[in-house]
Amino acid sequence: MDDEREQIDQLRTWWSDYGNYVLAGVVIGAAGLFGANWYQSNRLDAGLEASNAFSALADAVDAGALDTAEALAGELTTNHPKSAYAAQARLAIARLYMDRNRDE
């Protein structure tokens, strides 16, 4: 019985010395996990948004709607400048210009 009380006292002493560090580690770890999940979710949403915008641009290019395509390409390159879709949007507009003999 005394042995158990000594262990409990040792545990209480250890917790009073290191408990705040343990709690801080748990909180920081949880915040890191939530932050990483939030970041990945935002990147996925931005990618889906860019994909949808490029799909609309491709439809406008296929239809030959130059004004609509230019507006969508400008929107895509403004909102998602570092995505591969921005470069593809420029190429799609260039294709439309070439189809319309506006190659200057």
Side-chain angles (χ1 to χ4, degrees):
M1 196 74 166
D2 286 336
D3 200 26
E4 289 177 14
R5 286 186 185 174
E6 287 176 13
Q7 287 179 347
I8 291 172
D9 288 340
Q10 286 176 346
L11 182 61
R12 284 183 181 160
T13 302
W14 182 88
W15 185 256
S16 68
D17 291 341
Y18 300 108
N20 290 337
Y21 297 113
V22 170
L23 290 176
V26 168
V27 168
I28 290 171
L33 286 174
F34 287 122
N37 285 337
W38 175 82
Y39 177 73
Q40 288 178 346
S41 176
N42 276 354
R43 293 218 27 196
L44 179 63
D45 290 344
L48 290 173
E49 183 180 316
S51 175
N52 290 335
F54 184 76
S55 179
L57 171 65
D59 291 342
V61 168
D62 288 341
L66 181 62
D67 293 336
T68 303
E70 285 177 331
L72 290 169
E75 196 175 297
L76 185 60
T77 56
T78 300
N79 294 340
H80 307 282
K82 294 183 180 181
S83 73
Y85 293 110
Q88 292 296 319
R90 290 184 200 99
L91 288 173
I93 291 297
R95 176 185 153 215
L96 187 57
Y97 284 161
M98 293 299 290
D99 289 347
R100 296 251 177 140
N101 293 323
R102 288 184 51 189
D103 56 347
E104 48 307 311

